Amino acid sequence: MSEAATLPVAIGDSEFDRDTAVTLREPGVYDIDLSAGWTIINAVNGGYLLAVLGRALADTLPHPDPFTISAHYLTASRPGPAVVRTDVARTGRTLSTGQASLFQYDEQGREVERIRVLASYGDLSALPDDVRTTAKPPAIPPLNQCLGPDDGPVSVSGSSALVDRLMIKLDPATLGWALGQPSGKGETRAWFGLADGRDADPFSLLLAVDALPPTAFDLGISGWVPTVELTAHIRSHPAPGPLRVSITTRNLAGGFLEEDAEVWDSRDRLVAQSRQLARVRLT
């Protein structure tokens, strides 16, 4: 993992911001060159793709922040040119809803849809402060007691491009799989941030819910775990500082598992939640 910059990078100046920026070609049509820097096992990371589509919708819709976004991953995206097409479904005073799809061309020059999303946007800064919850932050040891790729055998084959851009420090209690001793509980917990020190915002939260090693590793299953569908809820603008991410799986059946993620900020607020359905290869 690359070292973070001495001074944090401001939002807007980060590699993440540059690599998720879309260029308006005409109303509802955006161009982007998907960066190879956000790949894992040769496929573009699903959270990065979600952030790309999220930015296109933020430009299309009258509201700035994703509140809920549901994505269906149709075919694996690859680094290189892509087109995002957006459409407004409804606009209201507090919420607006739209859909977006990302397309690439295959070897025969045919356009292929990679991912399709439906999302509702609003203004997180306009929400009331009232919070009533039974949720509690995950119990993770202090950051200096957790482990990242530079601290031991926790790498994932083919994942270096992605992890070089992230600050991930995993809870040792969920790292048995790296030593050949998975717990079987289906849990992953970690401190999370961007490697350049850029503070989190709603779009990097879309990355955070899908950037940790899959819980399948803790179940003793190795290899690629492609996402079929992912729904993320963004609850608040995160406070500055590293995030804590907790992901759990309770059920694996028929070659598919769910992953439930929670993202907590430095003020102990639940700022993002997600659930995804993923496919596992058992042989």
Side-chain angles (χ1 to χ4, degrees), residues 7-167:
L7 295 175
V9 172
I11 292 176
D13 297 330
S14 169
E15 182 178 22
F16 173 77
D17 299 306
R18 295 192 298 271
D19 288 348
T20 57
V22 293
T23 301
L24 180 65
R25 182 200 302 179
E26 59 187 69
V29 181
Y30 300 84
D31 294 306
I32 186 169
D33 194 53
L34 297 178
S35 171
W38 304 90
T39 55
I40 181 166
I41 315 181
N42 302 318
V44 180
N45 171 261
Y48 164 73
L49 291 171
L50 205 59
V52 167
L53 290 158
R55 287 197 183 281
L57 281 168
D59 187 75
T60 299
L61 297 171
H63 293 96
D65 302 315
F67 277 23
T68 177
I69 182 166
S70 296
H72 285 263
Y73 295 82
L74 308 176
T75 54
S77 299
R78 63 177 186 269
V83 176
V84 178
R85 295 193 177 97
T86 63
D87 182 61
V88 178
R90 177 187 178 275
T91 60
R93 187 173 63 178
T94 58
L95 286 175
S96 56
T97 300
Q99 61 182 5
S101 292
L102 184 143
F103 299 86
Q104 290 185 306
Y105 290 95
D106 65 13
E107 292 76 7
Q108 288 74 43
R110 297 171 300 193
E111 193 173 71
V112 178
E113 187 174 7
R114 303 296 193 194
I115 175 175
R116 184 181 299 188
V117 307
L118 182 67
S120 289
Y121 276 55
D123 185 352
L124 290 170
S125 63
L127 296 180
D129 293 331
D130 183 50
V131 176
R132 310 179 195 191
T133 181
T134 60
K136 295 181 180 179
I140 301 179
L143 195 149
N144 61 6
Q145 296 178 21
C146 293
L147 302 174
D150 293 337
D151 302 314
V154 299
S155 63
V156 180
S157 176
S159 67
S160 61
L162 178 65
V163 300
D164 283 348
R165 282 148 187 84
L166 303 177
M167 186 287 294

